[in-house]
Amino acid sequence: MAFGRRRVEEPPMETVGWADVQTFVVSSVERPVTVKRKHAVRGKPAVRVARGSRDLRILAPCAFLGTTDTQQPGLPSRPHHTLYETETRGLLCYVEPAVDSAGELRHVVRDGRGECIGTVVRVPRKRRPFKHTWRIEQPGHPEIVGRNEWASGDAKEIAGRFAAKILEEVVDNALSGGEGSDRPSKPRSLEWRAENKVVMVSEGSDKVTVRKGWVDRRLAFAFALLGDR
């Protein structure tokens, strides 16, 4: 008779639909470390959404990043700026290289048929201490502007967030030993607003949450592929 703990049965890894996802990450991790899973399991780089219980959480793919082996011939995009519906076929969308327009870097995003579905724009900073911002142009909808979370909203909201941001940086510097520390900096959070309503939020390029159904998920994916750099 065998003794010991019963082996935990892992949930299956299945591809989920991409059109209605809310929170996603771009990662190769399929099964992250949990209290019941001591080691992470990796797969293909993909856009992934969390599924299952906290103890047996999985990150199910909804679109796969291209590779040099799977890249469709003739596409202008880089493999890691190209998404497929399966690991090897079914072109979903791709992000074209940037075109500089008066300092703005404009990335056209096209669907699998080559039709333009929108543009992701990196907007250079206008003054210190602000960094660059972003804009998503989706035909038929108001433009979506992505700014630092603490610099988004009306004047009163900005003032309150700015004070909180300064205090947070003072505490972080005290804990990390100040400038020159080996402690990694946190990715900045962006609020994406259309007509002054938050439609999407992002934490660096690691985690993106879409809050309004009309936002084309492929444009949100495109921002994550480009990275907040």
Side-chain angles (χ1 to χ4, degrees), residues 124-195:
R125 71 180 182 186
K126 295 181 179 179
R127 60 185 181 277
R128 294 180 181 275
F130 299 102
K131 295 183 178 180
H132 63 275
T133 58
W134 293 87
R135 186 172 69 249
I136 292 178
E137 299 170 358
Q138 180 178 336
H141 294 280
E143 69 177 20
I144 305 170
V145 178
R147 294 194 179 98
N148 293 65
E149 186 178 35
W150 60 270
S152 179
D154 59 29
K156 185 176 181 180
E157 290 177 308
I158 292 174
R161 287 173 175 170
F162 184 78
K165 181 68 175 178
I166 295 299
L167 177 60
E168 179 184 348
E169 289 184 354
V170 169
V171 173
D172 280 350
N173 282 335
L175 293 175
S176 64
E179 293 186 10
S181 169
D182 292 334
R183 185 185 181 194
S185 59
K186 294 192 302 183
R188 67 171 179 165
S189 296
L190 299 181
E191 279 190 347
W192 298 74
R193 292 178 178 247
E195 297 181 334

Side-chain angles (χ1 to χ4, degrees), residues 1 3 23 30 47 53 58 68 74 93 143 162 200-201 213 222-223 225 228:
M1 182 176 179
F3 293 93
T23 299
E30 291 184 335
V47 178
S53 66
I58 64 172
T68 53
C93 64
E143 69 177 20
F162 184 78
M200 188 170 84
V201 294
F223 162 73
L225 295 180
D228 185 23

Side-chain angles (χ1 to χ4, degrees), residues 61-155:
C62 66
F64 293 87
L65 276 66
T67 66
T68 53
D69 295 329
T70 62
Q71 184 76 339
Q72 185 172 307
L75 290 180
S77 58
R78 299 175 180 176
H80 59 279
H81 288 169
T82 309
L83 290 176
Y84 294 86
E85 296 188 59
T86 71
E87 292 187 24
T88 58
R89 61 182 182 275
L91 180 62
L92 177 63
C93 64
Y94 58 94
V95 185
E96 293 187 347
V99 174
D100 191 320
S101 176
E104 294 186 347
L105 300 180
R106 300 178 59 84
H107 294 268
V108 172
V109 184
R110 298 186 183 276
D111 64 15
R113 298 175 298 176
E115 299 292 331
C116 174
I117 57 175
T119 306
V120 179
V121 186
R122 186 185 187 278
V123 182
R125 71 180 182 186
K126 295 181 179 179
R127 60 185 181 277
R128 294 180 181 275
F130 299 102
K131 295 183 178 180
H132 63 275
T133 58
W134 293 87
R135 186 172 69 249
I136 292 178
E137 299 170 358
Q138 180 178 336
H141 294 280
E143 69 177 20
I144 305 170
V145 178
R147 294 194 179 98
N148 293 65
E149 186 178 35
W150 60 270
S152 179
D154 59 29

Side-chain angles (χ1 to χ4, degrees), residues 33-47:
V33 173
T34 68
V35 295
K36 292 188 177 180
R37 186 187 296 132
K38 301 305 180 184
H39 302 284
V41 178
R42 293 183 177 273
K44 300 286 187 180
V47 178

